């Protein structure tokens, strides 16, 4: 059960996201990744944030890694490529590539892992029903 699913979204860099060097602050890339996950959930419905909230079973971030290669500046457009990575178990894994749209320069690469928790905040070892249904729909 492996199929590559990818979404691409574009986000303009805002003044509030730049630092004293006039480049996108390193923490802004975490927001761009969040934007990428939101767009991915709209593109592949069933694991979007509204779906997760409705279920009462949440998927908080467990692990994140980012490598920075080039800077984004105000009014650049960040082109965020978000790819779902299938891994066995009750987890959501994504790989991101963030490009500067104007010249397609790779600015950052990242990965995230989210784990599922039940309504009482307990870590789940089995996949939630909504996630299993999503995998059955999009990965087979």
């Amino acid at each position: 059960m492996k199929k590559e699913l990818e979404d691409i979204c574009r986000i303009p860099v805002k003044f509030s996201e730049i630092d004293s060097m006039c480049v996108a602050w390193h923490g802004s890339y975490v927001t761009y990744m969040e934007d990428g996950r939101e767009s991915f959930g709209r593109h592949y419905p069933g694991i979007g944030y509204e779906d997760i909230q409705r279920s009462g079973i949440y998927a908080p971030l467990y692990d994140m890694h980012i490598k920075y290669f080039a800077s984004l500046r105000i009014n650049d457009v960040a082109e965020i490529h978000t790819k779902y990575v299938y891994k066995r178990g009750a987890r959501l894994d994504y790989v991101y590539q963030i490009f500067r749209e104007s010249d397609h320069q790779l600015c950052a690469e990242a990965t995230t892992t989210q784990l599922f928790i039940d309504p009482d905040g307990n870590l789940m070892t089995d996949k939630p029903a909504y996630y299993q249904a999503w995998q059955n729909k999009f990965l087979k």
Side-chain angles (χ1 to χ4, degrees), residues 43-56:
H43 191 142
Y44 299 100
I47 59 167
Y49 287 112
E50 287 182 12
D51 302 305
I52 291 172
Q53 287 177 335
R54 263 194 308 277
S55 76

Side-chain angles (χ1 to χ4, degrees), residues 12-60:
V13 176
K14 298 178 281 305
F15 175 75
S16 62
E17 298 167 345
I18 63 172
D19 64 16
S20 61
M21 296 182 292
C22 297
V23 297
W25 175 60
H26 68 276
S28 296
Y29 289 81
V30 175
T31 303
Y32 303 147
M33 293 158 46
E34 186 82 30
D35 292 335
R37 285 195 302 278
E38 278 190 65
S39 182
F40 186 93
R42 287 189 298 272
H43 191 142
Y44 299 100
I47 59 167
Y49 287 112
E50 287 182 12
D51 302 305
I52 291 172
Q53 287 177 335
R54 263 194 308 277
S55 76
I57 297 171
Y58 296 95

Side-chain angles (χ1 to χ4, degrees), residues 55-60 115-125 128:
S55 76
I57 297 171
Y58 296 95
L115 301 179
F116 295 100
I117 58 171
D118 67 20
D120 295 324
N122 298 310
L123 182 64
M124 297 176 63
T125 56

